[in-house]
Every structure is written in structure tokens, then in C-alpha cells.
Amino acid sequence: KGENWVTGDVNGRQIMARRSSRYLGTIVLGCLDEPFVYSRSQKHTRYGIRHLSSCGVLISRTACPKASTAVFHFRRLFFNIAAPLINKRKEYSERRIIGYSMQEMYNVVAGIEDYKHFVPWCKKSDIIVQRAGYCKANVIVGFPPIEERYTSVVTLVRPHLVKASGTDGKLFNHLETDWRFSPGIPGYPRTCTLDFSVSFEFRSLLHSQLATVFFDEVVKQMVAAFERRASKLYGPETSIPREFMLHEVHHT
């Protein structure tokens, strides 16, 4: 205390911060929008301070000349990390009729070793174990500054199901994708009903907030990539009459 400490009150809480020889110090309180005011008996300092706290919030201090009070303004730069996060797990599912057969779509999705060539943000997808109805793959996905290496454990039921679960990852508590294929429009054999779902949960609250912002766009691009792959391998899709079109999307 004394020369080395300053104290203040925020919403009824007593806060204490240590001063260093050069800077007053950083007060890490979380993501507050209102100013934090503290009083000190020492003379004002000419140094303005900007620190990035562990929760990603810019903390700035403006010195007040010839005054015994300085004001700290805490601003949210990008996310309100301190806000209660009701559910860290993100889930997305969609059902649609597409103009490729069950077998064609199954082949595209089950070709995990080719993911690195067409799936957005997939940098590596190498099969390490494979047997009937089952395989394991080493996968690297990411976009700067986030990158994740994990093992994908895949269940295969031709031509109905491809289900993958991520293990050994550092970013995710949970990662699972599920592709299901069923017959499409009667009388249109080269169609199928696709049920796709993905769910994941980051270990980090910051990454969870990033996912909230970018999640829908990432999923849309991923599904579109599989359709483009099917087009490259099997040609144009079957034209589906408007009255038979179906596309349902759900996400939380």
C-alpha cells in the first residue's frame, strides 16, 4: 500500500492495483462499459497506459492534470466476454433434397483423405487406420490465428451414414459431424435427402464468442464445398421440380 498501491470502488467492490516503477499498473476487472474512478493522493503521472487484458479487452487510462482523481474507461473492443454465456455448445442442422444419389453423396463425404483438397480451412486429412465401417484420420483445420490438430474417428455405413467425432484436440471439448443420406424424390432415382448436422464446443470462452460470429458462414461454406465436389466428380446435379424442393435449417 502507500506509494505502491492504489485503491478504488467499482459497483460496491473494493479494487486494489499495484503501481510499477514506470506505469501505474493494469487493473483487470473483465469487460466493463462504465468508467472506473479511483482516488489517489500522489501527483498525476504523464504516462498514458494501454493494456490488453487476458479477456481481450482494451483498457485505457487518461491522466487528469492537476487533479487528485483519474478515470479509467473500460470499453468492449469486440465481444462482451464477461456477459453470461448461456450455452457454449454450437449446433447446426439442415435437411434438403439434392440432385445426387445417396451413393454419390456418400462417396464424397466418406472420401476423408480428399478433404484437404476441397473442404474450407482443412489443411490436412490423412487416414491412419481403416477397416470396414470404421476409420481414423489425422486432421488439421483452422484459419489464422486459430489452428486445431485432432484425430477424427469416423463411422461409415454405406450409403447411409458418415459420422465423425474429434478427439485429442486442444481447442475443442466436443466436435461431431453427422451426414445421413436417405431416398429422395420418388421417380427421381438420382436424388437423395441429406440430413447434415454439426455440433462443437470450444474450451475457450473467447473462441466460443468467435464461433458465435462466424459459425453460420463457416457451416454454409462447408456444405457448399461438398456439393461442388460432387459436381466435379459426377457432373451437374439432377434438376429438381420446384414443388419438390426442400431446405430446412436449424441452429442454436
Side-chain angles (χ1 to χ4, degrees):
K1 295 183 180 180
E3 291 296 322
N4 294 322
W5 296 87
V6 292
T7 61
D9 180 87
V10 178
N11 296 334
R13 294 183 298 164
Q14 288 295 317
I15 304 299
M16 179 175 293
R18 187 180 184 88
R19 75 165 55 241
S20 66
S21 59
R22 183 180 179 186
Y23 294 117
L24 182 61
T26 305
I27 302 173
V28 180
L29 297 176
C31 307
L32 303 178
D33 288 321
E34 67 273 13
F36 161 50
V37 181
Y38 75 91
S39 297
R40 58 187 175 91
S41 59
Q42 293 81 4
K43 294 182 179 180
H44 71 276
T45 175
R46 68 179 181 277
Y47 296 113
I49 303 173
R50 286 181 174 270
H51 289 285
L52 186 66
S53 76
S54 60
C55 65
V57 178
L58 186 66
I59 301 177
S60 63
R61 185 188 68 100
T62 303
C64 302
K66 298 180 181 180
S68 61
T69 301
V71 179
F72 280 78
H73 292 280
F74 296 84
R75 294 182 183 139
R76 291 175 297 183
L77 267 186
F78 199 60
F79 308 108
N80 186 1
I81 308 295
L85 200 60
I86 298 174
N87 185 7
K88 290 196 301 180
R89 180 168 296 192
K90 297 293 295 180
E91 298 180 350
Y92 173 97
S93 65
E94 69 172 83
R95 163 174 279 201
R96 62 192 301 183
I97 300 291
I98 58 177
Y100 294 100
S101 68
M102 294 169 58
Q103 186 64 56
E104 289 171 338
M105 287 307 302
Y106 173 87
N107 291 342
V108 171
V109 179
I112 296 165
E113 66 278 5
D114 294 323
Y115 281 13
K116 56 184 173 286
H117 300 308
F118 72 92
V119 176
W121 308 292
C122 182
K123 299 179 179 180
K124 180 180 179 179
S125 55
D126 296 337
I127 300 294
I128 55 176
V129 176
Q130 188 166 25
R131 59 176 182 264
Y134 173 88
C135 74
K136 277 186 177 183
N138 286 334
V139 180
I140 299 178
V141 296
F143 42 88
I146 300 172
E147 183 176 275
E148 172 75 322
R149 300 168 180 262
Y150 65 93
T151 301
S152 183
V153 179
V154 186
T155 301
L156 304 160
V157 181
R158 183 184 299 271
H160 300 284
L161 172 69
V162 180
K163 184 174 183 177
S165 299
T167 63
D168 304 328
K170 295 181 180 179
L171 289 179
F172 296 100
N173 284 327
H174 165 84
L175 174 62
E176 185 172 286
T177 59
D178 192 295
W179 299 80
R180 296 176 184 269
F181 313 102
S182 55
I185 304 169
Y188 292 80
R190 195 169 175 259
T191 64
C192 73
T193 301
L194 166 66
D195 288 282
F196 168 74
S197 65
V198 59
S199 64
F200 61 83
E201 180 180 308
F202 282 108
R203 299 183 189 278
S204 161
L205 292 178
L206 174 59
H207 292 151
S208 295
Q209 292 284 45
L210 283 168
T212 299
V213 176
F214 300 113
F215 179 67
D216 287 352
E217 186 60 31
V218 168
V219 172
K220 289 175 184 176
Q221 290 193 36
M222 188 172 71
V223 174
F226 283 90
E227 290 186 285
R228 289 192 299 269
R229 182 68 173 179
S231 177
K232 181 178 181 179
L233 295 178
Y234 303 111
E237 63 180 318
T238 301
S239 180
I240 300 173
R242 182 178 297 274
E243 61 268 24
F244 293 120
M245 288 183 178
L246 171 68
H247 191 187
E248 301 174 349
V249 175
H250 305 279
H251 57 85
T252 58

